[in-house]
């Protein structure tokens, strides 16, 4: 794969080893799903957190207008695609150490086939095969909706929105994840009346305030201070309900409707201004997932609702953060790249490549690269937070890893570090004082709601 994770992995191998690399990808150019995403897609995190470790993405500028004003820029899909193309053609291929085979399907056992000519290539792998496709990122344009759609009903991926030449009678957004949020914000930013939008949200999401996910020392209070709030909430919570109340009260999690308790958590971020805009959409349907769209009504898990004839349905239900079964990252001559920090795919891929380059013992490598699966439900906030914390503890005990993390561009929070002043030192002490109790309490809360699950991070 030559998607974001494949490119991030190859970049670290290029930088830290003298390995030769063969990249096989079924797409026509690097960047994976970014090549088919909707035209108005942007990162949900600062550009500083994304791309490959050796090359900056964006200009480290802050937005001065719009609903992200005051925060660091969010690269557009077009910027990301151009960036990966530059990495390939300005860094990888000129090195003479990378061979790139686009439009090819890997068939296993060192064999891949051209999707254009049918030619088959057999490769003798001297070291390892690296699977960076396991996370299986899917965007709406890559597959049809999974529900039945009656003839004559117009249902499109978000890609169709910028091509409209006549307004439909109404808009129906299907899905409450990042893509649904993006579609809603795009319509509102283009002055579509929120009264003409229906939003089908099978589960309401807990959202992250993007202000707490910012690089640089100036955001120490929001980023590191936010971590202190989360650590204290995890340490002191008497129940799962109490935990989320504490997280919301300190601004660590947001919800769109104060009357609805979210049951979904998938790392989507918004600004306070974006949340205010999303709340303008008041026609929200909460009757489960769509099963079918007939000529007259929307059939859902828990009943049916009618819709305005001539409405455009916008399918935002593809699973871009699929929760995959955990497999060993290092297994003999195979590396299966997965996330080792919540929803930080490219950081995780770069980190795994660094561990591959610098460590020999497979058990040690798998310990350092303990997988933190993508979250899906509200309870997964506990699992991912505990998994991230346990990994951080492992990494802190390794001086070489700490040195790498301090220098890693993709470790976006490394820029918040340095010699702290008195107030910042107090924040760090709060984290250190509460971290052990937080880990113990999170596992206790998880055991209460899911007693049959294995302990996190084991």
């Amino acid at each position: 794969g030559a998607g974001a994770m494949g490119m991030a992995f190859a970049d670290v191998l290029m930088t830290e080893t003298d390995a030769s690399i063969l990249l096989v990808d079924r797409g026509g150019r690097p960047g994976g799903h970014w090549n088919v995403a909707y035209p108005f897609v942007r990162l949900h995190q600062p550009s500083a957190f994304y791309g490959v470790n050796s090359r900056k993405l964006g200009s480290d500028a802050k937005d001065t207008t719009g609903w992200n004003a005051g925060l660091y820029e969010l690269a557009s899909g077009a910027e990301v695609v151009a960036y990966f193309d530059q990495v390939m053609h300005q860094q990888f291929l000129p090195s003479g150490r990378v061979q790139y085979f686009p439009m090819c399907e890997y068939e296993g056992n060192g064999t891949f086939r051209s999707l254009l000519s049918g030619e088959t290539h057999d490769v003798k792998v001297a070291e390892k095969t690296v699977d960076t496709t396991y996370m299986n990122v899917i965007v709406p344009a890559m597959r049809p909706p999974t529900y039945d759609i009656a003839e004559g009903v117009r249902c499109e991926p978000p890609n169709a929105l910028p091509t409209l030449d006549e307004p439909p009678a109404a808009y129906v957004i299907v899905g409450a994840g990042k893509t649904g949020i993006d579609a809603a914000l795009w319509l509102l930013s283009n002055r579509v009346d929120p009264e003409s939008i229906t939003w089908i949200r099978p589960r309401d999401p807990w959202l992250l305030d993007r202000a707490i996910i910012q690089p640089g020392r100036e955001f120490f209070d929001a980023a590191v201070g936010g971590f202190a709030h989360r650590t204290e909430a995890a340490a002191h919570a008497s129940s799962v309900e109490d935990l989320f109340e504490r997280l919301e009260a300190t601004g660590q999690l947001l919800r769109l409707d104060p009357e609805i308790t979210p049951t979904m958590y998938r790392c989507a971020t918004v600004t306070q201004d974006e949340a205010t805009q999303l709340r303008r959409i008041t026609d929200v349907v909460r009757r489960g997932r769509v099963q079918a769209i007939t000529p007259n009504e929307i059939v859902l898990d828990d009943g049916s609702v009618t819709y305005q004839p001539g409405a455009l349905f916008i399918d935002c239900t593809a699973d871009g953060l699929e929760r995959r079964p955990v497999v060993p990252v290092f297994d003999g001559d195979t590396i299966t790249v997965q996330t080792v920090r919540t929803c930080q795919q490219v950081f995780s891929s770069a980190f795994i490549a660094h561990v591959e380059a610098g460590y020999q013992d497979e058990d040690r490598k798998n310990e350092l690269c303990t997988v933190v699966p993508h979250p899906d439900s509200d309870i997964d906030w506990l699992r991912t937070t505990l998994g991230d914390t346990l990994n951080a503890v492992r990494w802190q005990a390794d001086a070489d890893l700490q040195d790498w993390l301090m220098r890693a561009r993709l470790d976006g929070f490394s820029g918040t570090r340095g010699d702290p002043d008195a107030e910042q030192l107090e924040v760090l002490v709060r984290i250190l004082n509460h971290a052990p109790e937080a880990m113990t309490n999170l596992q206790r809360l998880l055991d209460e709601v899911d007693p049959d699950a294995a302990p996190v991070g084991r």
Side-chain angles (χ1 to χ4, degrees):
M5 295 183 83
M7 295 292 282
F9 188 97
D11 173 75
V12 170
L13 279 192
M14 286 283 298
T15 305
E16 300 184 11
T17 76
D18 60 359
S20 297
I21 302 167
L22 190 146
L23 273 165
V24 177
D25 191 85
R26 66 168 63 100
R29 57 183 176 179
H33 73 280
W34 287 101
N35 287 291
V36 292
Y38 39 99
F40 52 89
V41 67
R42 286 187 176 274
L43 291 173
H44 263 217
Q45 59 188 323
S47 299
F49 288 72
Y50 205 75
V52 303
N53 206 40
S54 69
R55 189 183 188 107
K56 181 171 67 175
L57 171 60
S59 58
D60 287 336
K62 296 189 190 72
D63 287 341
T64 57
T65 62
W67 298 328
N68 193 59
L71 303 180
Y72 278 99
E73 62 187 336
L74 310 171
S76 69
E79 289 177 284
V80 172
V81 169
Y83 169 89
F84 282 126
D85 191 68
Q86 291 166 358
V87 171
M88 178 65 75
H89 293 284
Q90 295 177 11
Q91 291 180 222
F92 285 8
L93 296 182
S95 73
R97 292 165 49 201
V98 174
Q99 297 180 70
Y100 173 46
F101 289 84
M103 297 301 295
C104 288
E105 184 74 32
Y106 183 67
E107 297 181 333
N109 298 318
T111 299
F112 62 94
R113 174 179 54 84
S114 170
L115 298 173
L116 299 178
S117 68
E119 182 182 6
T120 297
H121 300 266
D122 293 307
V123 180
K124 182 179 180 180
V125 181
E127 292 293 337
K128 296 186 179 181
T129 300
V130 184
D131 181 4
T132 65
T133 70
Y134 183 73
M135 301 309 288
N136 196 37
V137 177
I138 302 292
V139 297
M142 296 171 68
R143 60 103 175 105
T146 56
Y147 41 87
D148 295 330
I149 303 170
E151 185 176 353
V153 174
R154 188 175 181 189
C155 183
E156 303 279 0
N159 305 56
L161 287 173
T163 69
L164 296 177
D165 51 19
E166 290 290 338
Y171 297 89
V172 182
I173 299 171
V174 185
K178 175 184 182 296
T179 305
I181 289 170
D182 284 353
L185 289 172
W186 189 85
L187 291 173
L188 294 170
S189 70
N190 283 280
R191 299 180 176 84
V192 171
D193 185 350
E195 296 295 321
S196 68
I197 303 173
T198 296
W199 194 353
I200 298 175
R201 299 210 299 251
R203 301 178 295 166
D204 267 50
W206 282 114
L207 302 170
L208 295 167
D209 186 340
R210 198 174 300 131
I212 69 174
I213 308 173
Q214 297 291 307
R217 294 282 288 175
E218 66 184 297
F219 286 98
F220 182 96
D221 289 345
V224 183
F227 186 67
H229 283 307
R230 295 191 292 278
T231 305
E232 289 169 338
H236 296 150
S238 60
S239 65
V240 170
E241 181 181 5
D242 181 44
L243 172 64
F244 283 103
E245 288 177 358
R246 291 171 182 269
L247 293 170
E248 185 176 25
T250 55
Q252 305 310 297
L253 291 175
L254 306 174
R255 56 174 141 180
L256 297 178
D257 189 332
E259 303 300 319
I260 301 296
T261 300
T263 57
M264 180 170 74
Y265 171 67
R266 308 203 71 186
C267 298
T269 74
V270 294
T271 64
Q272 293 285 351
D273 285 346
E274 288 173 338
T276 297
Q277 291 296 320
L278 292 169
R279 292 182 184 114
R280 296 173 63 205
I281 301 174
T282 57
D283 184 13
V284 178
V285 178
R286 297 183 177 91
R287 297 193 180 184
R289 290 185 168 88
V290 173
Q291 298 299 319
I293 305 173
T294 75
N296 303 307
E297 62 182 9
I298 308 166
V299 181
L300 302 116
D301 291 335
D302 301 320
S304 301
V305 295
T306 59
Y307 64 90
Q308 188 170 345
L312 170 63
F313 288 82
I314 308 163
D315 177 57
C316 301
T317 62
D319 198 347
L321 290 177
E322 183 178 357
R323 188 177 175 85
R324 302 281 285 156
V326 173
V327 300
V329 172
F330 299 94
D331 186 10
D333 60 2
T334 300
I335 300 173
T336 305
V337 178
Q338 296 154 86
T339 45
V340 297
R341 180 183 285 171
T342 305
C343 297
Q344 292 291 312
Q345 291 89 342
V346 291
F347 166 83
S348 297
S349 194
F351 183 90
I352 291 168
H354 172 71
V355 171
E356 165 64 12
Y359 296 77
Q360 297 300 317
D361 180 72
E362 185 170 287
D363 289 339
R364 175 61 173 161
K365 291 196 288 188
N366 276 320
E367 179 186 31
L368 291 172
C369 296
T370 301
V371 177
V372 182
H374 286 322
D376 179 70
S377 71
D378 54 344
I379 300 303
D380 286 334
W381 187 95
L382 286 73
R383 293 190 178 95
T384 56
T385 300
L386 184 54
D388 284 343
T389 304
L390 289 169
N391 272 349
V393 170
R394 296 182 183 101
W395 303 344
Q396 286 169 0
D398 188 308
D400 290 338
L401 266 185
Q402 281 301 295
D403 180 64
W404 186 84
L405 289 168
M406 285 293 293
R407 294 180 289 104
R409 186 188 76 81
L410 292 177
D411 183 12
F413 295 118
S414 60
T416 63
R417 300 169 187 168
D419 293 331
D421 59 29
E423 291 183 357
Q424 293 171 342
L425 183 61
E426 183 180 347
V427 172
L428 295 172
V429 169
R430 285 166 53 199
I431 295 171
L432 291 172
N433 287 343
H434 290 92
E437 185 181 359
M439 291 195 298
T440 300
N441 198 38
L442 284 176
Q443 188 62 65
R444 178 186 68 82
L445 294 174
L446 281 170
D447 290 342
E448 289 181 358
V449 296
D450 192 1
D452 296 327
V456 172
R458 303 293 193 271

